[in-house]
Amino acid sequence: HKRFGSSVVLEKIDLTFEEGQISGIMGPNGAGKTTCFNVLTGRYAPDRGTIRFDGKDIAGLPPQRIARMGISRSFQIMNLFDDGTVIENVMLALPEFRNARLNVTSAVFKDQAMINEAMEVLTQVGLQDLAWQPSASLPYGSRRALEIGVALAAKPKIVFLDEPTQGLGAEATKNLADLIRRLKASYTIVLI
């Protein structure tokens, strides 16, 4: 359950996502889909109820802790570092980056193992040839793929994608749908 003041946004929501499957949440604008993602990923705490992941109740845990447990997400409005390159966006999301606790401009971007790991993620989303390009220079569809790459860099078990094809033309939508189908082999995916 989730409410904002007198507005009830989520009530008696009961969902289960099967491992290795693609699941979808559909509904009109304002139906609470993004709020549901926000509750499931820790951005908002539920007002009542439980959220179970790997046998544990994670309701109300901070988003960073939920992410470390294996839940990752993209956003309806993209969250990329436009001042950085494509590969830097992915490297910043790697658990090894967080564990290194290094200055962003220091040795972390010279760590070949981390570069290789980031390149593996970029290969998954088809952006390996654009790794050293400024992320701001990417076409919109590639930026959406990069955002998915950033979500995958966290090494999740489940990935929540909030309207990943929003604003894309027919060809870019097809390409992104193909990418999501390929990712299903390695991830549980839930999308709006």
Side-chain angles (χ1 to χ4, degrees):
H1 300 264
K2 184 65 187 171
R3 66 184 315 136
F4 297 99
S6 63
S7 297
V8 177
V9 180
L10 302 174
E11 186 172 37
K12 297 181 184 176
I13 303 297
D14 187 359
L15 303 168
T16 302
F17 305 115
E18 292 186 41
E19 188 173 345
Q21 297 296 312
I22 297 174
S23 301
I25 298 176
M26 296 173 52
N29 287 343
K33 302 176 302 292
T34 297
T35 299
C36 184
F37 269 27
N38 287 335
V39 169
L40 293 172
T41 59
R43 190 162 186 184
Y44 301 145
D47 296 316
R48 281 195 329 245
T50 60
I51 301 167
R52 299 201 61 77
F53 180 69
D54 276 348
K56 299 176 186 107
D57 183 5
I58 63 168
L61 293 179
Q64 309 88 305
R65 187 158 171 212
I66 289 174
R68 283 192 298 272
M69 294 174 80
I71 296 176
S72 191
R73 70 166 297 174
S74 73
F75 292 85
Q76 194 171 8
I77 298 171
M78 281 188 272
N79 288 323
L80 298 174
F81 295 106
D82 285 338
D83 291 339
T85 64
V86 171
I87 196 166
E88 288 169 340
N89 271 271
V90 172
M91 288 177 73
L92 289 169
L94 291 172
E96 291 80 3
F97 179 84
R98 288 190 306 275
N99 294 338
R101 291 183 180 14
L102 297 172
N103 180 314
V104 173
T105 60
S106 71
V108 72
F109 290 113
K110 296 175 186 156
D111 182 321
Q112 193 59 49
M114 286 181 63
I115 291 170
N116 293 343
E117 190 167 351
M119 285 300 292
E120 287 177 28
V121 171
L122 290 173
T123 299
Q124 281 186 292
V125 297
L127 296 176
Q128 67 279 5
D129 294 337
L130 302 172
W132 302 103
Q133 299 296 314
S135 61
S137 71
L138 295 179
Y140 190 74
S142 296
R143 288 174 58 79
R144 283 289 185 185
L146 176 56
E147 188 179 36
I148 292 171
V150 169
L152 298 180
K155 299 180 182 174
K157 297 175 185 173
I158 186 168
V159 182
F160 291 93
L161 303 175
D162 193 346
E163 298 194 36
T165 60
Q166 181 181 29
L168 298 180
E171 184 66 24
T173 296
K174 179 194 172 305
N175 292 340
L176 202 59
D178 290 343
L179 168 61
I180 291 168
R181 274 192 286 281
R182 284 193 313 273
L183 294 174
K184 176 186 165 214
S186 302
Y187 304 95
T188 300
I189 299 171
V190 182
L191 55 94
I192 293 176

